[in-house]
Each structure stands twice: as C-alpha cells, then as structure tokens.
Amino acid sequence: MTESPAAPRNFIHEAVESDLQAGTFGGQVVTRFPPEPNGYLHIGHAKAICLDFGTATKYGGRCHMRFDDTNPTAEEQEFVDSILADVRWLGFDWGEHLYYASDYFQQMHDYAVELIKQGKAYVCDLTPEQFKDYRGVPTRPGRESPNRNRPVEENLRLFEEMRQGQHPDGSLVLRAKIDMASPNLHMRDPTMYRIKHAHHHRTGDTWCIYPMYDWAHGLEDSIEGVTHSLCTLEFEVHRPLYDWFLEQLGVWHPKQIEFARLNLSYTIMSKRKLQQLVEEGLVQGWDDPRMPTLAGLRRRGVPAEAIRKFCEEVGITKYESLTDVALLEHHVRGVLNRIAPRRMAVLRPLKLVLENIPEGEEHLCEAVNNPEDPAAGTRPVRFGREIYMEHDDFMEEPAKKFFRLAPGKSVRLRYAGFATCTEVIKDPATGEVLELHGHWDPPDAGLKVKGTIHWVPAAHAVEAEVRLYDRLFAKENPADESDGTRFTDHINPESLKVIRAVVEPALADVAPGDSFQFERTGYFCVDPDARPGTPVFNRTATLKDTWAKVAGRG
RNA sequence: UGCCCGAUGGUGUAAUGGUAGCACAACAGGUUCUGGCCCUGUUUGUCUAGGUUCGAAUCCUAGUCGGGCAACCA
C-alpha cells in the first residue's frame, strides 16, 4: 500500500484500539467493504473504502471485499465488475477475501429456521398496506399482527413452502418477533425474508426467497468473522436489530460502528440522483468526467492517490458535514504537480509573427519536463518565425499589472528568448485581433520583463480536441431541494466546453490516461476517445490563477 | 411532536479536565524563465444558560439548532 505513514486517529480507531487492548475479538481486526452491486462507486464510497481497508492495514488485520447482493431485482454483474475495478484502481487489495452474501443464502436460511424453532420468527400474510398500518408511526406504538402467534410447526411449514416457490411474490414474509411497541421502528417485527421469483446474477433460480438487509448483514459479518463493521450514520437506528439477531443466534458478534458519509460542495452523491443524470442524458454516462463516480474521476484524470489523501484528510466523525470540493482539488494539484510532465499547449491560439527571424529558420529549445522532478529530464522544442500564443496573453490596452504582451511591450517566450509586439492586425469590420507581428530577441539578450508566456511553433503545431470541464453544479449544495428547486435546475451550463487547441508535437503521440500539465493552464488527461493523430484531452483541474483574481477585481 | 445521534474559525478536523492546534479557503508579502510550485505573515472559532472543579471545548442538567428513523431497498 502506498498510504501515507501516519493516518490520523479517529474515534473508530480509538474503539478498535480499546478492543485490541481488552482482547474483545481475540486481538484481531477484520473489516469489510460491502457494496450492493446496483450502481457505480463514487467518491463517497472512496471514503468508506479508505476507512475499511485503512483500518485493517493499520492494525495488521484484513479487509474483506464483499458484495451485499441480497436483492436480485436491482443487482447486475456489470456493477460487480466495475466495483472491483474501481476498488483496485483506488489502490486496495482484498487478496483472497472476495465474498458474496449470496454464498451464504443456505446458511442464512438455516439460521432463520432456527429462529422460527425458537419461537422468535413467524410467517405473516399481512398485505403491504396492512403491514404499514400495523407497524404504527414513530410517535405511536404499532399493533401485533394476527399471525404473530402462529404455531411453530405452521411457521416452519409455511416458510418451507415459501422457499419451494409455492407462494406468489408479496403474499408472505418471514418476520422477527421482537416488539411492536418499540420506539425504534426497526424493532417492530421487521421483515427477514420476502418472496421474489427473480433471477439472481449469481445464484440463478435457486432461490425465490431473499433475505432483507437487517437479517442478512449481521450474519454476513458474523460468518466471515468480522470484528468491526463500519457503516454510515443512517444505520445507527438499525444497530439494535443487528445486535438482536446475533444475540438470539448466539453466534460471532461483530461491533457495528457508524460514521458520517461524505458530502462534497457543488456535487451530488445520491445514487438515485446520479442515475437520473445518466438516464436523462444530462451527462454522457457513469464515467462522464464531471461525475463524482470513481470511473468519472479517473477519466477526468484525478489520481487515485489524490483521492486517498483527500479521504484521509476529511477525517471520520459522526457529524454530517459538507466538505469544500476545493480540498479535493488541492490534493489533485498536489499530486499532479509532483508527477505530471510539463508541455506547452495553446487553448485559444493567436498567431505571432517574429519578423526578424527568416522564413524556414529554426532554433531548438531545451524544455524542462518537470521542474519538481529533475529525473524527468528535458525535451527539444522547435522554434521559428511563426508561433501560436494564447489570445488571453495579449491585451491591446493592457490593464494595470498585466505582465504579458501588449503593443510595444515585451515578454519572455518560455525557453525561447523574448518577443516584442510591434504591430496588431485586426479585422477592420469587427475590431477583432487576428494576428500579431513582432521582434524577437534571443535568450541572452537579457531583457527586463516580468512575464513569461507559453507558445507552440506554428510549423509543427498539432491540433487537439480539448474538453474544458468545470464543476457540474453552480449551487453549493445542489442536493438540498428544500428551497423548492430541483438539483437539475442548478446544472452549470458551462460545465463542459469543447475547443480545438494547438499543442506541441510531443503531445501528438500519447496514451489514454496519461496526465500532463499544460504550462500556465492546468492539468490535462488523455481521454480514451483520442485517436492516433488527433489527441483528446480532458481538463482535470486548472492551475491556480492569481492573475484571474487580480483581473476579476477590476 | 416518539426514539436515536450530533454541534470547535468561511470549510473540514485536532485537543480525551491543564497554553484552542492543523489543513483548505481568503488576504498581504517574498521568490520565480509557469501570475504554477515553494516560503513568510495576517484575519476568523469552542451553540446557549446553569452546575461540578483550583481549572471545562472536554464532565452533569436543561434548552436551542441540525441530522436520522415509518421499502417486502441497502
């Protein structure tokens, strides 16, 4: 593992340490990451993954990768595959500990029979409407089902009939007999099994009854010898039930500990909402680079290491918070700054003709590949009479503190000496600046200039498609619809701008997934859509732009 | 309104009865062939009211505010 050394301690680690000290679980630490294979993983899951695997690693234990596949109508093999790939990409290794809840279906069934025999579970034929009615509401106790005192033998017979497929979907359920007056709704005789004549992606048609989460999850943990079952806050009210089942059965009893899920500003994390974005075509798929899915972040060019560092830094608490997406961006830049090779790319080209360089004459410049990493070496870049520069690096009437090119002014050309602007060629009709002419001075001319700009040699410029991504939502907390608006109302119309840029020849031959820093512009990652000769780059993040702030202030 | 959980700068967190610290963000400056990186500095915080204590962010009580819970979902 490439985890940074001192992962900060949190209240869960304290609990683990105290269990270790007390010998509660025989000195072991076993955690698990238990996704349901019904969607793609997102950065919120990454927090859980880092916690589950990180805690196990920290205390010399192990973490199980387990699919909680107890609902065949929602789950698919496609999601199993993507989840596995995403966890691996994030940098975690479950070794041989890959499990499926569906592998325990027989064992869970047998435990259910045992509970029936103990008189602690019964088959109930209440309709969903009646069920709801009998359960009551939080402020008032429920009523007992008329089936509650069905004899054990009859319960066994009916449950067996359920298993054999003799009853239609929804006609019967198996319920735990706990307490219809409990202030905790989940303790009011919760459902353990429902009938679903559905094809399961792993067990096929072997089963037509499927266990409910509360019944299944604790058993999965117990069967695998999990010690610390870490989950999000909304399961807190389920804990008494988790404990109740394992106590009745007298089996291995892990400790469930809850923590707050991750919320990111300008982002939505709900699986349902993400699905809606995909289905309504508001994004281009689960791996759209604007999506907070791991697949999307990967395609965007966000390094796994940045996600791990981010997850480590947001910490683990029981307080529901909204983390600033700027913190993620900070780690993205931090990692990429260290490893991304530098290249020159001009996003909005403006031609600059250096009149004192003869046509056809070329100079070779030596460009540094990564100032943060001397081992990355240098590369040659050809330089000649005509170059492309960034349109934004020219101002006909320069603002105060504008250190770039303007009529009569000079700038340094990165690695290639100096340019002084002598003439501005404009479209007479629109006034638009079309081309610049100027004078060139070699690097040793020693002109006193404050600015350096990047450029691409016109004779060797390579055209590229560049996708400029920005945050998907313009509202800090788009998931909050309490103001009467819907999250889709706040989609940032500028979240994607596709442009044609010119890049230096060294960027002509790149592979999908390669990351670069386009000097002075941002970090970019090669998209799988790239074809030989026409690279496609996704903007991962901009560079910090002090000038934009100064200019923005007016 | 029944039960459960929580509350520390703008944001995320640390301090486990003894100097409220770190990171991000913001701001100011230094450095610089990237207005990047790096470096220095500044601003801003313990929800309220009582209580325990020599001493409370921390313990107790009450309140306020926020979140969660009424799928045959997980």
Side-chain angles (χ1 to χ4, degrees):
Chain A
M1 251 336 302
T2 51
E3 216 54 28
S4 352
R9 244 162 75 93
N10 54 57
F11 75 98
I12 289 178
H13 290 168
E14 284 171 18
V16 169
E17 283 173 25
S18 113
D19 286 333
L20 241 24
Q21 205 161 22
T24 315
F25 298 107
Q28 295 182 86
V29 176
V30 181
T31 60
R32 96 270 98 105
F33 174 61
E36 182 189 15
N38 71 342
Y40 282 76
L41 257 28
H42 54 62
I43 191 165
H45 294 111
K47 176 179 175 178
I49 294 168
C50 291
L51 209 220
D52 291 330
F53 280 91
T55 300
T57 303
K58 180 171 179 176
Y59 296 102
R62 63 177 195 268
C63 179
H64 295 181
M65 177 71 218
R66 179 173 77 221
F67 286 97
D68 206 354
D69 54 352
T70 57
N71 183 3
T73 52
E75 298 151 7
E76 293 169 31
Q77 186 62 38
E78 177 199 350
F79 296 126
V80 170
D81 297 338
S82 77
I83 288 169
L84 254 18
D86 285 346
V87 175
R88 216 176 279 125
W89 172 74
L90 237 202
F92 297 98
D93 182 10
W94 51 86
E96 51 203 56
H97 300 286
L98 172 62
Y99 304 109
Y100 295 83
S102 51
D103 286 343
Y104 312 139
F105 280 173
Q106 184 61 48
Q107 209 167 340
M108 290 175 185
H109 167 271
D110 297 347
Y111 276 130
V113 168
E114 193 179 323
L115 219 56
I116 295 172
K117 286 180 178 164
Q118 285 183 32
K120 291 170 182 165
Y122 62 97
V123 174
C124 184
D125 62 12
L126 252 33
T127 65
E129 296 71 36
Q130 292 172 319
F131 190 101
K132 200 174 170 182
D133 181 44
Y134 275 78
R135 184 180 40 219
V137 291
T139 50
R140 280 196 313 276
R143 302 181 335 266
E144 297 189 349
S145 161
N147 301 310
R148 200 171 199 258
N149 295 310
R150 198 192 290 280
V152 168
E153 288 311 313
E154 198 179 324
N155 283 321
L156 287 172
R157 178 177 58 79
L158 285 171
F159 185 52
E160 176 60 12
E161 287 177 13
M162 283 168 65
R163 187 184 70 78
Q164 289 183 352
Q166 296 177 25
H167 297 276
D169 286 10
S171 58
L172 296 174
V173 293
L174 182 70
R175 303 176 69 174
K177 191 194 283 190
I178 308 181
D179 177 9
M180 290 307 289
S182 171
N184 182 340
L185 280 304
H186 299 280
M187 298 299 271
R188 322 244 262 227
D189 290 11
T191 305
M192 294 166 61
Y193 274 96
R194 75 284 217 194
I195 300 171
K196 272 180 192 269
H197 291 269
H199 188 83
H200 187 280
H201 66 103
R202 295 192 77 247
T203 60
D205 299 315
T206 307
W207 296 90
C208 63
I209 55 170
Y210 291 92
M212 298 287 292
Y213 170 84
D214 285 303
W215 167 244
H217 203 87
L219 287 177
E220 295 160 27
D221 288 343
S222 179
I223 289 166
E224 293 176 14
V226 165
T227 60
H228 301 271
S229 182
L230 314 179
C231 61
T232 43
L233 247 30
E234 69 268 26
F235 292 102
E236 208 158 18
V237 281
H238 294 246
R239 177 152 33 94
L241 188 47
Y242 181 102
D243 291 335
W244 189 88
F245 281 130
L246 297 178
E247 253 163 53
Q248 306 312 309
L249 263 12
V251 293
W252 177 261
H253 192 154
K255 182 180 287 184
Q256 173 178 306
I257 308 176
E258 310 85 13
F259 62 93
R261 59 166 6 115
L262 173 71
N263 298 299
L264 255 192
S265 63
Y266 301 99
T267 310
I268 54 160
M269 218 64 97
S270 130
K271 223 179 238 183
R272 207 203 86 241
K273 291 192 168 90
L274 291 174
Q275 186 168 10
Q276 192 181 336
L277 289 175
V278 173
E279 281 173 359
E280 295 183 8
L282 297 167
V283 296
Q284 285 160 17
W286 286 101
D287 68 343
D288 186 298
R290 292 166 293 183
M291 291 282 271
T293 52
L294 295 184
L297 292 166
R298 178 168 58 230
R299 189 166 179 185
R300 174 84 170 249
V302 172
E305 183 188 352
I307 296 178
R308 276 186 254 120
K309 284 187 159 164
F310 167 75
C311 288
E312 198 172 274
E313 198 170 342
V314 293
I316 303 294
T317 63
K318 298 197 70 156
Y319 177 65
E320 196 80 33
S321 57
L322 181 62
T323 300
D324 193 342
V325 72
L327 185 61
L328 209 214
E329 288 164 2
H330 170 257
H331 287 289
V332 169
R333 292 190 183 105
V335 172
L336 257 14
N337 177 54
R338 215 179 60 228
I339 63 175
R342 313 292 136 118
R343 294 290 184 267
M344 292 198 285
V346 173
L347 268 26
R348 259 186 84 211
L350 175 62
K351 187 176 277 184
L352 170 60
V353 180
L354 299 161
E355 292 174 327
N356 61 330
I357 299 178
E359 304 226 16
E361 181 177 308
E362 281 196 338
H363 301 254
L364 225 46
C365 309
E366 190 182 26
V368 174
N369 283 329
N370 186 348
E372 307 293 322
D373 176 18
T378 62
R379 68 187 183 286
V381 183
R382 284 174 288 190
F383 170 76
R385 177 180 167 89
E386 296 191 354
I387 61 173
Y388 289 113
M389 59 174 278
E390 207 71 66
H391 218 295
D392 291 348
D393 284 338
F394 173 79
M395 274 183 104
E396 196 171 9
E397 290 166 35
K400 230 178 173 176
K401 291 191 179 172
F402 182 78
F403 304 141
R404 286 112 94 149
L405 201 59
K409 303 277 188 187
S410 307
V411 277
R412 186 191 298 276
L413 298 172
R414 184 77 156 147
Y415 303 121
F418 304 87
T420 304
C421 177
T422 54
E423 189 187 354
V424 182
I425 296 172
K426 295 196 281 190
D427 182 324
T430 65
E432 187 195 355
V433 175
L434 298 176
E435 189 174 297
L436 261 26
H437 285 230
H439 175 88
W440 178 71
D441 286 293
D444 56 14
L447 271 67
K448 287 274 177 282
V449 296
K450 284 195 100 167
T452 300
I453 65 173
H454 59 278
W455 51 274
V456 165
H460 309 286
V462 173
E463 254 198 61
E465 176 176 322
V466 174
R467 299 173 180 170
L468 300 174
Y469 291 105
D470 198 352
R471 48 187 59 152
L472 224 205
F473 293 97
K475 187 185 179 190
E476 186 174 37
N477 186 5
D480 177 15
E481 300 182 330
S482 64
D483 57 4
T485 63
R486 279 158 315 171
F487 77 99
T488 47
D489 297 338
H490 302 287
I491 289 185
N492 175 9
E494 312 234 295
S495 63
L496 169 59
K497 276 189 248 174
V498 181
I499 60 168
R500 302 296 290 189
V502 289
V503 303
E504 65 170 280
L507 286 170
D509 187 26
V510 289
D514 287 353
S515 277
F516 298 94
Q517 183 198 99
F518 291 177
E519 293 217 23
R520 304 207 309 131
T521 303
Y523 295 99
F524 292 78
C525 180
V526 180
D527 193 85
D529 287 350
R531 286 162 305 283
T534 37
V536 177
F537 296 96
N538 296 325
R539 182 169 69 194
T540 310
T542 60
L543 248 33
K544 280 201 193 165
D545 189 349
T546 309
W547 167 246
K549 270 186 205 168
V550 175
R553 260 180 238 147

